[in-house]
Amino acid sequence: MKKIVCANYEEMSAVAAYAVASQIRSKPNSVIGLATGSTPVGTYKKLVEMYKDGFVDFSKVTSFNLDEYYPIKHDNDQSYIYFMKDNLFNHVNISAAQINIPDGECSDPAKECADYDARLEKIGGTDLQILGIGNNGHIAFVEPAESLPLATSVVKLTEDTIEANSRFFKTADEVPREALSMGLKGIFSAKHILLLISGKGKAAIAKKLFDGTLSTSVPASLLNLHPNVTVIVTSDTQ
Ligand code: GLP
């Protein structure tokens, strides 16, 4: 894995946004894998600026998000579809028909997951995947466990994740206990993965990615097996 160390969050966001914009400029119909969480917010902000400046055009882009809580209403301001509209989709010219995100309101989650993988496979995987990392080493909602899902599937959130994500909800009780998450196969379909890690709080987990070992108890450590991963970290993280 290549590592780029940035002075601060602002610089990390600019570097990541430039990588995404360059991908789209060189291949306008790129398939971009998108992540949620607080880490990529600055990247999306920069991409919106780049779009407004005419540097990047999303009209032919297809997006695949990593995950969504389940169940959750689309208009819940903590749903990931709401987050994506608020931070990116409502501000750029991406076509609604080309946005893919697991449906938190679906009635048949197993079918929703199978269809999601079928669509991702049909299009040939993502060209560029933005990833964040949970404090417990999760990527998307692939949580630490003895065995990890390859396919997009319904996953149970760990207590660590419920606690970490409760900061966005009024109470921890409101955090959905499950999610629909892309599995390792979908994540690894990316030709290039950009893993963003920011802040002191992530220093311990970031260190584990570079300790020369793999463990399903740190799902992100498996990224060491992917041929093209760029980890963009802030200097206080490493
Ligand atoms: C969430 C998402 C992940 C994200 C992670 C870290 O639970 N499912 O895709 O990377 O948590 O979030 P943050 O960037 O807010 O630390």
Side-chain angles (χ1 to χ4, degrees), residues 36-39 66-67 80 132-134 138 140-141 165 167-168 202:
T36 51
S38 47
T39 309
L66 288 168
D67 47 14
Y80 284 167
I133 184 172
H138 75 211
F141 272 130
N165 290 9
R167 70 191 194 277
F168 300 115
K202 296 269 173 80

Side-chain angles (χ1 to χ4, degrees), residues 30 40 47 61 66 75 78 80 103 110 113 122 129 163 165 167 191 205 232 238:
S30 287
L47 279 169
V61 167
L66 288 168
D75 61 2
Q78 292 311 321
Y80 284 167
D103 182 359
C113 292
K122 190 169 175 212
Q129 174 70 60
E163 199 195 312
N165 290 9
R167 70 191 194 277
K191 295 180 183 69
I205 197 68
I232 311 180
Q238 58 139 23

Side-chain angles (χ1 to χ4, degrees), residues 17-238:
Y18 187 74
V20 176
S22 302
Q23 168 65 42
I24 297 170
R25 283 173 64 92
S26 67
K27 182 183 172 194
N29 64 343
S30 287
V31 181
I32 306 292
L34 300 172
T36 51
S38 47
T39 309
V41 168
T43 304
Y44 297 144
K45 201 166 164 240
K46 292 269 177 217
L47 279 169
V48 170
E49 284 168 22
M50 288 173 174
Y51 164 70
K52 289 190 172 149
D53 289 345
F55 184 69
V56 61
D57 171 13
F58 288 82
S59 62
K60 297 192 175 67
V61 167
T62 297
S63 69
F64 274 84
N65 263 85
L66 288 168
D67 47 14
E68 176 61 285
Y69 290 113
Y70 188 77
I72 199 159
K73 295 276 182 207
H74 300 159
D75 61 2
N76 183 321
D77 63 5
Q78 292 311 321
S79 74
Y80 284 167
I81 183 61
Y82 189 101
F83 171 99
M84 288 310 307
K85 285 182 179 168
D86 200 32
N87 285 285
L88 185 68
F89 298 154
N90 286 350
H91 312 289
V92 298
N93 63 341
I94 190 164
S95 147
Q98 279 159 217
I99 291 170
N100 295 279
I101 181 162
D103 182 359
E105 289 188 12
C106 69
S107 53
D108 185 347
K111 182 175 183 305
E112 172 68 12
C113 292
D115 289 351
Y116 203 70
D117 277 344
R119 290 207 298 278
L120 183 57
E121 203 173 321
K122 190 169 175 212
I123 207 163
T126 55
D127 290 296
L128 181 66
Q129 174 70 60
I130 301 174
L131 272 187
I133 184 172
N135 294 321
N136 65 356
H138 75 211
I139 43 176
F141 272 130
V142 176
E143 296 278 33
E146 206 170 296
S147 61
L148 304 179
L150 280 172
T152 297
S153 41
V154 186
V155 295
K156 286 207 182 328
L157 303 186
T158 60
E159 284 307 317
D160 285 348
T161 297
I162 292 166
E163 199 195 312
N165 290 9
S166 66
R167 70 191 194 277
F168 300 115
F169 292 80
K170 280 190 210 90
T171 65
D173 288 345
E174 284 183 23
V175 184
R177 267 37 191 175
E178 291 187 326
L180 309 178
S181 177
M182 198 185 275
L184 289 174
K185 198 173 168 195
I187 295 170
F188 271 65
S189 76
K191 295 180 183 69
H192 184 194
I193 293 176
L194 279 188
L195 172 60
L196 312 183
I197 315 180
S198 166
K200 272 200 190 94
K202 296 269 173 80
I205 197 68
K207 206 168 161 211
K208 287 194 184 169
L209 295 184
F210 294 99
D211 73 359
T213 65
L214 297 179
S215 169
T216 60
S217 63
V218 182
S221 68
L222 300 186
L223 294 171
N224 280 285
L225 297 174
H226 189 283
N228 192 9
V229 178
T230 306
V231 188
I232 311 180
V233 300
T234 53
S235 55
D236 56 349
T237 299
Q238 58 139 23

